[in-house]
């Protein structure tokens, strides 16, 4: 069992930055690929970014490429999402997820554990 706890959400003006953190506890964190998803009001949960267990490869949805950066620190059992140049379209609840595999997927059903989510609001 893995427990995931996100932090770092909040309110930020358009063009601003935030860094989300996801702290993991339980089984060996470095064995998991990690991902970030988001869900805006009235919309389905969508893939944002993912990283392999070793951190050597990262993946992004097109809308965040060049603005968001996913990283991990296996010594701290933590994965991060640095978000720059935020826009109102980024407003959503952001979820951290862990997958018992090396290469992460882009679909929610490919992940085994989920955090409770942290809300980000970028007003228009």
């Amino acid at each position: 069992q893995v427990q995931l706890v996100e932090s770092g959400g909040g309110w930020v003006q358009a063009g601003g930055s935030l860094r989300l953190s996801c702290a993991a506890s339980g089984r060996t964190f470095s064995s998991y690929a990690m991902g970030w998803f988001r869900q805006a009001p009235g919309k389905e949960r969508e893939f944002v970014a993912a990283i392999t267990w070793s951190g050597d490869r990262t993946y992004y949805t097109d809308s965040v490429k060049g603005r968001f950066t996913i990283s991990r620190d296996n010594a701290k059992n933590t994965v991060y999402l640095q978000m720059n140049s935020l826009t109102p379209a980024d407003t959503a609840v952001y979820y951290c997820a862990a997958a018992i595999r090396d290469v992460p997927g882009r679909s929610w059903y490919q992940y085994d554990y989920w955090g409770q989510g942290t809300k980000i609001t970028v007003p228009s």
Side-chain angles (χ1 to χ4, degrees):
Q1 189 74 14
V2 173
Q3 293 78 42
L4 303 172
V5 179
E6 303 98 334
S7 61
W11 184 97
V12 61
Q13 290 185 338
S17 299
L18 281 175
R19 188 176 82 156
L20 302 183
S21 299
C22 174
S25 61
R27 297 179 62 181
T28 306
F29 175 72
S30 60
S31 299
Y32 293 88
M34 299 297 296
W36 286 96
F37 287 73
R38 66 186 179 187
Q39 188 166 17
K43 296 187 177 181
E44 294 186 351
R45 190 170 300 190
E46 66 169 349
F47 170 79
V48 176
I51 189 167
T52 55
W53 66 268
S54 65
D56 63 339
R57 285 168 288 170
T58 57
Y59 308 85
Y60 299 93
T61 192
D62 287 345
S63 64
V64 308
K65 284 181 181 177
R67 300 189 300 122
F68 290 13
T69 302
I70 188 171
S71 61
R72 66 190 297 162
D73 185 338
N74 287 344
K76 295 183 178 180
N77 286 3
T78 303
V79 63
Y80 306 97
L81 186 67
Q82 177 66 44
M83 304 182 293
N84 299 327
S85 302
L86 286 161
T87 74
D90 296 314
T91 294
V93 177
Y94 284 70
Y95 297 91
C96 171
I100 307 174
R101 54 194 295 172
D102 176 19
V103 179
R106 293 174 179 259
S107 301
W108 65 266
Y109 55 80
Q110 294 175 297
Y111 290 78
D112 304 283
Y113 302 100
W114 292 84
Q116 81 290 348
T118 185
K119 185 174 182 179
I120 293 175
T121 302
V122 187
S124 55

